[in-house]
Amino acid sequence: NQEKDKKDSCNSVGEVYNGIYERQSFNQSLEDIQPAGWTPIAKALNSIKGEMGNGKKIVVYIVSDGIETCDGDPVQTVKELKKSGIDISVNIIGFDIEDKGQKLLKEISDEGDGQFKNITSQEDLDKYLRQQNEMLRYQWSNWKDKGVKESVQESDEKRLEILDTENEIKEIANREYKNLLAAQDYLEKH
């Protein structure tokens, strides 16, 4: 937390957990975290740029006890990520942040189409995480239902196309059969 450590601290951005949630490995990844030093929020957001952007929705949770202190501009960073085609949602969980800091962190989450939540107790954190879990389950359920509905609709449309094509083929086959009968009758007469 000293000025002489700022450069090292501001460059100490690292991934803690990435991937499908698995309770044991997730909890284990959090065990070694010791909050200290400066707060490089913009650099942390920028760190996702290289590995993301393949059409997936990226949901980011920033857990912080303060505002950006490494001379970065997190709001501008979110704008640039979105401009580069990354579909991102930035949620910020602040721990006992003062009013000015809350406003600054909320600006980041607003720009990132996410939420800011200031947590002051374990009870607040548990409640927030339960709400997030329920919200994500609800969104997933809606996404799944919409996908099933679209899939059924597309399947029905394809079946109708197949029936139309089948009927066209039958009409052509009947017409050609009649033409062959007419040709046979003509040949027999002549």
Side-chain angles (χ1 to χ4, degrees):
N1 287 333
Q2 297 176 18
E3 190 66 36
K4 67 180 178 70
D5 299 323
K6 183 175 182 177
K7 184 178 178 184
D8 288 337
S9 184
C10 288
N11 286 318
S12 66
V13 171
E15 184 175 281
V16 175
Y17 189 84
N18 184 354
I20 298 172
Y21 175 74
E22 197 281 313
R23 181 186 297 258
Q24 184 177 356
S25 62
F26 178 77
N27 288 340
Q28 193 172 14
S29 71
L30 298 178
E31 285 180 14
D32 295 330
I33 296 176
Q34 296 297 321
W38 302 79
T39 308
I41 295 174
K43 186 171 181 71
L45 285 167
N46 243 333
S47 72
I48 69 167
K49 193 182 280 185
E51 60 185 85
M52 305 299 181
N54 54 3
K56 294 179 184 176
K57 173 76 172 183
I58 307 303
V59 180
V60 176
Y61 285 89
I62 296 173
V63 181
S64 183
D65 62 354
I67 61 172
E68 166 76 40
T69 58
C70 290
D71 305 320
D73 186 346
V75 174
Q76 184 60 36
T77 300
V78 172
K79 286 179 183 178
E80 290 169 6
L81 289 169
K82 290 165 77 176
K83 195 175 182 179
S84 74
I86 296 175
D87 186 7
I88 188 171
S89 175
V90 180
N91 301 286
I92 299 179
I93 302 171
F95 285 98
D96 206 16
I97 309 290
E98 83 290 345
D99 289 343
K100 183 181 176 187
Q102 287 184 42
K103 288 176 187 168
L104 292 171
L105 293 174
K106 185 161 178 14
E107 283 181 46
I108 301 166
S109 63
D110 286 348
E111 183 62 41
D113 302 320
Q115 294 180 335
F116 168 75
K117 181 69 177 174
N118 190 42
I119 303 294
T120 58
S121 68
Q122 182 67 45
E123 185 179 295
D124 284 351
L125 180 60
D126 291 343
K127 181 180 177 184
Y128 175 73
L129 293 175
R130 276 194 306 275
Q131 289 170 342
Q132 289 295 296
N133 186 319
E134 289 302 313
M135 180 191 69
L136 291 172
R137 286 177 186 265
Y138 176 76
Q139 288 174 345
W140 182 87
S141 179
N142 284 345
W143 170 80
K144 181 190 83 165
D145 292 346
K146 181 182 174 193
V148 167
K149 182 180 176 183
E150 289 173 355
S151 176
V152 168
Q153 183 178 353
E154 187 172 337
S155 174
D156 289 346
E157 289 171 3
K158 294 296 180 192
R159 282 192 183 122
L160 289 174
E161 283 181 37
I162 290 169
L163 286 174
D164 288 346
T165 303
E166 187 178 306
N167 287 335
E168 285 178 32
I169 291 171
K170 284 180 182 178
E171 286 177 23
I172 292 169
N174 284 336
R175 194 169 44 244
E176 287 303 311
Y177 180 72
K178 287 178 184 176
N179 287 339
L180 285 173
L181 288 178
Q184 181 182 4
D185 185 49
Y186 175 81
L187 289 173
E188 287 175 358
K189 289 180 182 174
H190 294 90

